[in-house]
Amino acid sequence: MLTRPDLTLEQEWAAHGLVCGVDEAGRGPWAGPVSAAAVILDPDHLPEGLNDSKAMSEAAREAAEADIKARALCWSVAFATVEEIDRLNILRATELAMRRAVQGLAPCAALALIDGNHALDVGCRSVAVIKGDARSASIAAASILAKTARDRLMHDLDDAHPGYGFARHKGYGVPLHRQALDRLGPCAQHRRSFAPIRLMIEERLSA
């Protein structure tokens, strides 16, 4: 039987104070920033259609995004730049984006439920929840906000850096992206610390 994320985990930790859900989007792509979102839901006004953002269509995510922003007690979206990813590594940059998102909440969260298996430093007590976007309603809401915000930004980067197809593949290492890189070389939004981009730069320098 198909189940949807709910507030069971949030209720288990409610004695600590306000509980937020936190998730990221864009750890794997070769280009663009990583995004993170933090959401504190109002249990009396839950958004409709909450689910793991990866299991939703783009139209469903956009509709849910509007509902989350209208009904949540508070929400926040933040980014870590390509420069920060290359300087810190992707895990630490993701942690930075998550901390920025949590710190952007008003009222503040006392505890963060974070999707994944790492209880990262986000400025308050945190609990890692494996497959959290399928279990926790607030993590699912955060996954939707992080995904829609990053997708929107990648459309903007497509205008700023034409020819790479950022609006289509969102920076992931698909054949279309690799073909554009072979033709144009990396741009300022490519993550030079990622092996495929680093090797491509080395090959072009040695050619």
Side-chain angles (χ1 to χ4, degrees), residues 16-30:
H16 294 267
L18 290 175
V19 177
C20 71
V22 182
D23 203 358
E24 53 76 27
R27 282 183 62 173
W30 293 353

Side-chain angles (χ1 to χ4, degrees), residues 130 136 150 161 180:
I130 296 173
S136 159
R150 188 178 188 277
H161 302 279

Side-chain angles (χ1 to χ4, degrees), residues 2-55:
L2 183 65
T3 60
R4 290 293 183 97
D6 58 27
L7 292 177
T8 299
L9 290 172
E10 287 83 348
Q11 291 163 354
E12 288 178 1
W13 291 99
H16 294 267
L18 290 175
V19 177
C20 71
V22 182
D23 203 358
E24 53 76 27
R27 282 183 62 173
W30 293 353
V34 61
S35 64
V39 180
I40 301 177
L41 293 174
D42 180 347
D44 295 323
H45 297 90
L46 286 181
E48 296 181 0
L50 289 180
N51 203 354
D52 174 1
S53 64
K54 297 183 290 296

Side-chain angles (χ1 to χ4, degrees), residues 81-171:
T81 66
V82 169
E83 292 79 11
E84 289 168 328
I85 292 169
D86 286 340
R87 176 167 53 85
L88 299 172
N89 75 43
I90 186 60
L91 177 60
R92 295 279 79 85
T94 300
E95 181 179 56
L96 176 60
M98 288 182 169
R99 185 160 61 247
R100 286 169 173 165
V102 171
Q103 291 174 343
L105 294 171
C108 299
L111 183 139
L113 300 174
I114 300 178
D115 183 50
N117 54 8
H118 295 286
L120 301 175
D121 177 11
V122 295
C124 67
R125 182 175 180 180
S126 64
V127 176
V129 182
I130 296 173
K131 296 184 179 179
D133 44 11
R135 299 171 58 194
S136 159
S138 59
I139 293 178
S143 78
I144 292 165
L145 295 194
K147 173 66 173 167
T148 53
R150 188 178 188 277
D151 284 358
R152 198 171 294 120
L153 179 58
M154 294 307 294
H155 276 270
D156 293 340
L157 292 180
D158 189 69
D159 293 335
H161 302 279
Y164 292 98
F166 288 151
R168 292 178 63 184
H169 54 64
K170 309 302 188 293

